[in-house]
Amino acid sequence: MTGTAAQPPAAPPPGTPAPRPAPGPAADEGLARRLRALACTAPLHDLDARKANLAGEYSVYAMAELGLAAIDLVTLSMDFDTGADHEQVVARLLPRVAAQAPSRPAEEHERVARWVLDSLINVGSVDRGFRAVYGTFAPDGSYVRRDYDFKLIEEVPGPGGEVYLRTTDEAVNVLVGALDTDVTSAQIAAEVKLEVLISRGRLADAQLAAEQARYRTVQYAEALRRALEATRRDVRAVDWVRTVPDLIDEALAHIAERYRHENAILTNIRRARDEAEDPGHKLRAAELVDIVKDCIRRHTQLQSRLLQAGPLFRAEQDRQAFRPVPARAGTDLHGQLLAPVLELTLDQATRVTDAYFRRGTAPRPPAAVRLADLTEMLLTPPAPREHLGAELPEPDLVATPDDSRFSEEQLAAATALLSVPPDAPRRLSGLLAEARRADPDLPHLVALLAVHAASPPVGTAYRQGERSLLFAVDDGTPLDDPEFGGSDLIVGTALLDAAGMAAGRSENAP
């Protein structure tokens, strides 16, 4: 029995492209997300790896645990407008540090707390961020390495000029154990899970689910805050046609749904707290009540910010649209000078930089004047000066036109008409009728003087030595006049106290 030898595979015909390599597991987007999630936890593991570099024996401290606690403290201390205070976070982290090494001095505890917080901020780097490298497959099948830049805790300026700490989305994802998760779906799943756990009496697991739900609420508020901050900087950088309006609509619907769930959850927690006989269950239920109340408070704050988003966009659009355009655009030193110069040779780059610095620096005056200029200045005779100075031009005076409505004769007639005896006041209607018979324009002047007399300047008249003062009183009688309306004032003349005292002194004189 003879066997046949296996034939080698036939070679592909000429011109056939080489087969593409089978994409590996990194082509899966889910794996890329897990790689980024692993990168977010690297700074926490790096804390335990770098604690050996500290001057002293710090192996007793669990630095990763302290890092998670610091992220938790910053996240829960964040508000919509402000963040967490650096010193307060350190003070709240000290009890956890002291619990790990109670025999160590307080100065060491504070040093460890500050070192952990500064390491999560990445103090000392240029951009205070972390970078991880992971690989994916390109559409042509080649393996491509990509950079993943992220931050865990960042320093942001506050409204009062202070610097606050805020956790990023990556830090919140480290807390809840997920990455790039949809906020709405994660929040709904967390609250359904929380409701089920409470109904089954598993309060320890329910507390963990409640804390995860609160983290998702903070993350949702952070997304809106970043969109509003970008709008304040440049309204064109944010899509206010579809993206942000859809976000606001979904967030408002999300908040309404969350209110209903959280109030029902709060009722179940209180019932479990009141019916529980174990003190541990009662304490756990009381803590859950505080957590859910904090979620409701954050939702209320988020709702108010969502309602203010539309007016803020319109105000920023008006402000940025009518902002004056700069008269001259500045030079982009990186894009227009540095990047092109780095591609030139040394000889070509020297000519460019010399031209830039020659025109970009201010002119430098000479250290000393020339001898020829100094000689000319010393030998030039002084110019003759006029004894009285230069002749002043004759001003062109223009007479001011008389634009007064009433003449001097009309003012004298109105004054005579309003000079009523002190013991016989008159109605404004009678004065207007008498003035109309004398002059058609005179009633307007009489009405103005009568209205002015409704609040007479008693102090001014007394200081000027006036003996009498015109006054007008409204007694509620309506004015019956074809041209004017209002109240029919009682117009009279009042003697001032100084005049009356002078009259009294003259009568008592012998």
Side-chain angles (χ1 to χ4, degrees), residues 109-151:
H109 296 160
E110 183 177 357
R111 182 188 179 189
V112 170
R114 293 187 181 277
W115 181 79
V116 169
L117 187 58
D118 292 343
S119 299
L120 294 178
I121 302 174
N122 204 4
V123 175
S125 61
V126 177
D127 57 351
R128 299 203 170 184
F130 301 96
R131 171 171 292 184
V133 180
Y134 67 98
T136 58
F137 281 94
D140 58 354
S142 59
Y143 184 77
V144 180
R145 297 186 182 274
R146 302 185 183 276
D147 293 335
Y148 177 51
D149 296 323
F150 65 95
K151 295 181 180 180

Side-chain angles (χ1 to χ4, degrees), residues 168-169 219 221-231 233 238:
T168 61
D169 286 344
Q219 192 174 10
E222 276 294 292
L224 177 64
R225 186 185 65 84
R226 286 196 303 269
L228 296 182
E229 283 189 354
T231 302
R233 290 191 297 267
V238 184

Side-chain angles (χ1 to χ4, degrees), residues 152-208:
L152 294 180
I153 299 178
E154 56 183 353
E155 296 174 323
V156 296
E162 302 178 358
V163 178
Y164 294 99
L165 302 180
R166 300 189 72 93
T167 53
T168 61
D169 286 344
E170 291 81 7
V172 177
N173 287 326
V174 168
L175 283 173
V176 300
L179 186 74
D180 295 340
T181 309
D182 181 67
V183 177
T184 305
S185 61
Q187 180 76 11
I188 294 174
E191 292 186 353
V192 171
K193 176 183 178 182
L194 175 60
E195 189 172 3
V196 171
L197 291 174
I198 292 173
S199 62
R200 295 181 180 179
R202 298 172 56 183
L203 297 183
D205 296 335
Q207 182 175 0
L208 178 60

Side-chain angles (χ1 to χ4, degrees), residues 16 19 22 126 138 184 217 301 367 463:
T16 303
V126 177
T184 305
T217 303
Q301 187 183 42
R463 287 191 299 270

Side-chain angles (χ1 to χ4, degrees), residues 157-387:
E162 302 178 358
V163 178
Y164 294 99
L165 302 180
R166 300 189 72 93
T167 53
T168 61
D169 286 344
E170 291 81 7
V172 177
N173 287 326
V174 168
L175 283 173
V176 300
L179 186 74
D180 295 340
T181 309
D182 181 67
V183 177
T184 305
S185 61
Q187 180 76 11
I188 294 174
E191 292 186 353
V192 171
K193 176 183 178 182
L194 175 60
E195 189 172 3
V196 171
L197 291 174
I198 292 173
S199 62
R200 295 181 180 179
R202 298 172 56 183
L203 297 183
D205 296 335
Q207 182 175 0
L208 178 60
E211 291 174 351
Q212 292 179 353
R214 181 166 56 178
Y215 294 144
R216 289 301 176 188
T217 303
V218 173
Q219 192 174 10
Y220 212 111
E222 276 294 292
L224 177 64
R225 186 185 65 84
R226 286 196 303 269
L228 296 182
E229 283 189 354
T231 302
R232 292 187 182 97
R233 290 191 297 267
D234 187 2
V235 72
R236 297 170 298 180
V238 184
D239 183 12
W240 279 90
V241 178
R242 292 185 179 179
T243 305
V244 179
D246 292 345
L247 172 66
I248 294 175
D249 294 340
E250 292 175 4
L252 289 174
H254 160 80
I255 290 174
E257 197 68 24
R258 299 290 70 74
Y259 275 141
R260 183 174 60 85
H261 282 288
E262 287 168 355
N263 286 323
I265 291 171
L266 196 59
T267 302
N268 292 334
I269 297 174
R270 288 170 175 167
R271 184 184 302 114
R273 179 193 60 188
D274 297 338
E275 295 177 355
E277 298 180 357
D278 186 5
H281 278 65
K282 282 185 175 292
L283 180 61
R284 189 80 65 179
E287 294 175 354
L288 276 173
V289 170
D290 294 337
I291 294 175
V292 176
K293 282 184 178 180
D294 185 59
C295 290
I296 295 176
R297 181 188 64 82
R298 291 180 182 273
H299 282 145
T300 304
Q301 187 183 42
L302 179 59
Q303 183 184 20
S304 64
R305 300 298 179 179
L306 288 170
L307 296 179
Q308 296 173 3
L312 184 142
F313 162 68
R314 291 187 289 271
E316 289 297 326
Q317 188 180 34
D318 294 340
R319 182 183 67 84
Q320 297 178 22
F322 295 102
R323 181 175 55 189
V325 181
R328 186 175 181 181
T331 304
D332 184 5
L333 295 180
H334 182 272
Q336 298 178 358
L337 181 64
L338 180 59
V341 164
L342 291 178
E343 300 177 358
L344 302 177
T345 62
L346 182 59
D347 184 28
Q348 296 172 339
T350 303
R351 291 198 298 268
V352 174
T353 54
D354 290 346
Y356 169 75
F357 286 107
R358 185 169 55 252
R359 291 174 173 82
T361 55
R364 185 175 59 186
V369 296
R370 296 183 305 167
L371 181 60
D373 297 335
L374 181 60
T375 304
E376 182 179 359
M377 292 172 58
L378 293 176
L379 297 180
T380 301
R385 298 181 180 179
E386 296 289 342
H387 179 64

